[in-house]
Amino acid sequence: MNDDAYRQKQMEAYPLNKLARLLEPGPLVLVTTGHQDNSNIMTMGFHMMVQHDPPLIAFVMGPWDFSHKALVETGTCVIAIPGADLMEKAVDIGNCSGAETDKFKRFNLDPLDAEIVGAPLIKQCLANIECRVVDTQLSEKYNLFVVEAVRAWVNRSRKEQRIFHHKGDGTFSLDGRTIDMKARMTKWKEITA
Ligand SMILES: Cc1cc2nc3c(=O)[nH]c(=O)nc-3n(C[C@H](O)[C@H](O)[C@H](O)COP(=O)(O)O)c2cc1C
């Protein structure tokens, strides 16, 4: 089929280098690394759940990020999920480097001691997931790390509970209405319980 034939079917060719805009992976997250008095935060859009039990998460963190060195050295991090009230800060945190600035101070965020890992939780986030790197086989080729979540925390008392998603081009969508399809998830009862 040529391009015209696809257009008649209301399908338009889409540039492969913009696929991230179609497959945006989940909530925009913040990742902390380092230790309480020497810690850093970066913004991350490229992450995915890999396995339920033990819970494994994969993400892309490149050597262009100052956080990368701390992740490799300590083998731990915290994935923090910001609410919509932190949207501007989350974008700004991804547009400056911990090599030059103390981002906890600059963005007025409070580090809290994690229970298991050295990297701090972020008090103002909706959730914080303490993680340990468990697989780096693809880290040289794709900057891809697989981490195991070893402890997780949620803050249900925050008024703003909406998460937000990066659409791949500097625009964001806000979490909307939740639609309950649990009754149809007949093959996957264990995840709806
Ligand atoms: C919306 C957004 C999403 C981002 N997603 C990623 C990502 O998935 N992986 C990555 O390595 N960098 C990502 N970045 C870039 C880092 O957050 C950015 O390089 C940051 O300055 C790194 O901070 P650091 O140098 O203090 O570690 C993203 C930035 C923004 C603004």
Side-chain angles (χ1 to χ4, degrees):
M1 244 190 313
N2 61 25
D3 276 9
D4 275 346
Y6 275 107
R7 260 191 289 278
Q8 275 165 20
K9 293 181 188 299
Q10 295 181 325
M11 285 286 167
E12 228 177 77
Y14 192 78
L16 290 177
N17 65 354
K18 291 188 175 151
L19 284 187
R21 299 179 183 191
L22 301 180
L23 281 174
E24 61 94 9
L28 191 75
V29 299
L30 300 172
V31 178
T32 77
T33 45
H35 296 280
Q36 264 288 8
D37 45 357
N38 187 20
S39 53
N40 189 25
I41 321 173
M42 67 169 270
T43 305
M44 175 182 282
F46 284 9
H47 59 83
M48 65 177 286
M49 232 19 240
V50 172
Q51 181 179 292
H52 282 296
D53 190 18
L56 298 182
I57 299 160
F59 63 62
V60 171
M61 189 189 288
W64 55 83
D65 302 314
F66 185 63
S67 309
H68 183 267
K69 190 165 179 274
L71 180 78
V72 171
E73 278 173 11
T74 63
T76 60
C77 66
V78 167
I79 298 174
I81 303 177
D85 53 319
L86 295 183
M87 197 185 296
E88 282 111 347
K89 284 189 185 182
V91 173
D92 293 349
I93 286 167
N95 280 276
C96 64
S97 174
E100 284 124 33
T101 182
D102 177 341
K103 295 196 214 176
F104 274 97
K105 279 214 178 82
R106 174 160 164 195
F107 295 103
N108 220 2
L109 295 169
D110 299 312
L112 298 177
D113 278 340
E115 191 177 279
I116 297 177
V117 305
L121 316 179
I122 302 175
K123 185 180 176 197
Q124 287 79 4
C125 280
L126 296 176
N128 283 276
I129 308 167
E130 299 183 35
C131 299
R132 215 182 256 141
V133 176
V134 291
D135 196 336
T136 57
Q137 284 182 77
L138 292 176
S139 66
E140 284 209 358
K141 200 168 177 189
Y142 298 119
N143 303 311
L144 187 115
F145 294 82
V146 178
V147 298
E148 179 177 348
V150 290
R151 197 87 172 94
W153 309 94
V154 292
N155 184 344
R156 296 194 200 282
S157 69
R158 290 193 75 76
K159 195 164 169 242
E160 178 58 88
Q161 287 286 328
R162 289 173 304 170
I163 52 174
F164 55 98
H165 308 259
H166 184 215
K167 297 184 82 170
D169 61 353
T171 64
F172 294 81
S173 60
L174 255 187
D175 217 17
R177 199 157 60 95
T178 297
I179 296 152
D180 189 342
M181 293 276 173
K182 285 185 177 188
R184 306 181 91 89
M185 295 281 283
T186 50
K187 193 172 162 188
W188 304 104
K189 288 201 169 73
E190 70 279 8
I191 66 168
T192 58

